[in-house]
Amino acid sequence: MAINYDLREKIIKQALTELEFARNYKQGKVTNWKTNEDLYYSRKAPTEASRANVDLGQMSSFVHTLLSKIDNPLVFKYVKRKEAQLKRVKYLNALRVTDQTNDNWDIKDITGKKQAIIYGRAIYSYTAESPDGIYKSCLDNVDVYDFLIDPSGGGIDIERAFYMGRYGVVKTRSEIKKGIKDKVYLKTESERLLESAGNSTEIPQEEINKQNRIYDTNVWRATKEVGSPDKFKFWEWYTTYEGTRYYLLLNEQGSTAIRVEPLKDIFESGLFPFWTWAAFPDLTEFWTPSYCDYVRDI
């Protein structure tokens, strides 16, 4: 469904406000996360006066011991909402077994659980499509640093949130050009973006937050990006405007979006395409403590 310019600008403005609010709200948790990372990666300040500064690896041992205990496999099940869907649901669940193997669900499950132990949350993006009539699902890990959500939605059902999104969705120059040709991306906004040299080296708050983890792994550079004119990074943002949910492919630094569409035009269900669980679920709070938070002082 085509959206006129004025409405798009209102939705983009609202999305940018939501993004900044959710980021500032979440920032208080980052201090805890950095401390857990220092312990997990055995980062210690070197001392010259003592030989007692030995890396014992107690936090990493704790994380991996706990990880070995929560070995239930990751499973998504399609459930029929009416009797006529029974045959279709059985078919999709049979396909899911194949997808689980082909899409490396096991390692994605392990890395998600590891984030839940250290940060308190495991977050995934889960979508499915049928290009040319061939069903295919896609499960992606979402780094907790890259995810923002409406704090007022609570910590149990993300469908209660009015907005959420993830950073770091990469599109190449050729993908954007194809999107313009296929009328998926907005022509004027996309062409203006293509006139730039790419935004892969921009450092938003999300990248700053992740720098501590890079240092902890003893990598001397604080960034993983090399400047590339072919690479563009976006926020994949979902918001609710006047009762309708919208999807935005958002360039925060430029305060523009190359795609703004009603969510139902992309996902028929109109549901947010994320799945998440907490180490310690709480009715009112999404960013809850992690296992590492509780054992850190010990």
Side-chain angles (χ1 to χ4, degrees):
M1 183 180 76
I3 301 174
N4 64 57
Y5 176 81
D6 289 338
L7 178 56
R8 289 203 310 266
E9 288 300 298
K10 290 178 182 178
I11 295 171
I12 292 170
K13 182 179 180 181
Q14 174 179 292
L16 290 168
T17 300
E18 293 166 345
L19 194 157
E20 188 63 23
F21 181 86
R23 172 187 285 152
N24 291 336
Y25 181 88
K26 171 188 167 185
Q27 196 62 21
K29 288 296 297 182
V30 173
T31 302
N32 276 352
W33 293 351
K34 288 181 177 179
T35 305
N36 292 341
E37 287 168 354
D38 287 347
L39 290 169
Y40 175 75
Y41 292 109
S42 297
R43 183 183 184 190
K44 289 188 176 184
T47 61
E48 296 180 359
S50 171
R51 296 183 180 181
N53 191 21
V54 178
D55 290 333
L56 299 177
Q58 292 183 0
M59 182 63 86
S60 59
S61 296
F62 169 79
V63 170
H64 289 278
T65 299
L66 184 57
L67 191 59
S68 70
K69 303 298 182 183
I70 49 175
D71 56 357
N72 292 336
L74 179 63
V75 176
F76 292 94
K77 290 185 178 180
Y78 294 92
V79 179
K80 65 181 178 67
R81 287 179 288 181
K82 50 188 178 183
E83 200 63 32
Q85 295 176 328
L86 179 60
K87 184 177 180 180
R88 181 186 178 191
V89 165
K90 286 183 177 180
Y91 178 62
L92 289 174
N93 278 322
L95 286 174
R96 171 184 50 79
V97 176
T98 302
D99 290 333
Q100 189 168 356
T101 302
N102 295 342
D103 200 25
N104 297 319
W105 283 20
D106 287 347
I107 188 62
K108 294 176 182 180
D109 177 38
I110 291 172
T111 51
K113 286 172 178 173
K114 181 178 174 182
Q115 286 223 324
I117 294 170
I118 297 174
Y119 305 108
R121 271 281 169 186
I123 305 169
Y124 303 87
S125 168
Y126 186 52
T127 59
E129 58 182 353
S130 300
D132 302 321
I134 302 174
Y135 170 82
K136 181 182 179 181
S137 69
C138 182
L139 177 71
D140 285 330
N141 293 94
V142 180
D143 191 345
V144 290
Y145 280 118
D146 289 333
F147 189 76
L148 295 175
I149 190 169
D150 174 13
S152 70
I156 304 298
D157 183 4
I158 63 172
E159 287 298 310
R160 296 173 63 91
F162 276 79
Y163 57 85
M164 66 188 67
R166 62 167 173 167
Y167 174 71
V169 175
V170 174
K171 301 293 179 183
T172 64
R173 189 172 292 272
S174 60
E175 285 177 317
I176 296 174
K177 287 180 179 179
K178 185 178 185 302
I180 297 172
K181 182 180 179 181
D182 295 341
K183 298 183 179 180
V184 175
Y185 299 150
L186 297 166
K187 187 175 187 294
T188 302
E189 288 81 352
S190 298
E191 289 180 343
R192 188 180 299 128
L193 184 65
L194 291 174
E195 291 173 357
S196 69
N199 67 348
S200 62
T201 56
E202 289 181 351
I203 306 179
Q205 186 62 53
E206 284 64 37
E207 294 294 345
I208 294 173
N209 289 340
K210 285 185 280 189
Q211 286 178 358
N212 183 76
R213 187 166 58 195
I214 297 174
Y215 284 130
D216 280 340
T217 54
N218 296 315
V219 179
W220 67 276
R221 284 189 178 273
T223 179
K224 296 181 178 181
E225 298 286 350
V226 61
S228 171
D230 191 46
K231 188 175 182 180
F232 297 85
K233 291 201 290 188
F234 298 90
W235 276 95
E236 202 171 62
W237 195 257
Y238 302 83
T239 188
T240 308
Y241 185 82
E242 295 185 346
T244 301
R245 287 181 176 177
Y246 290 90
Y247 166 90
L248 295 86
L249 200 55
L250 184 66
N251 174 17
E252 183 189 4
Q253 300 300 320
S255 300
T256 61
I258 65 170
R259 189 176 185 184
V260 182
E261 290 185 43
L263 185 56
K264 281 197 171 184
D265 287 2
I266 302 174
F267 303 126
E268 184 180 348
S269 67
L271 302 176
F272 296 123
F274 296 105
W275 183 79
T276 177
W277 58 273
F280 297 95
D282 187 273
L283 176 64
T284 62
E285 182 55 58
F286 184 86
W287 299 112
T288 49
S290 70
Y291 289 100
C292 288
D293 288 334
Y294 286 115
V295 303
R296 189 168 60 224
D297 291 338
I298 299 174

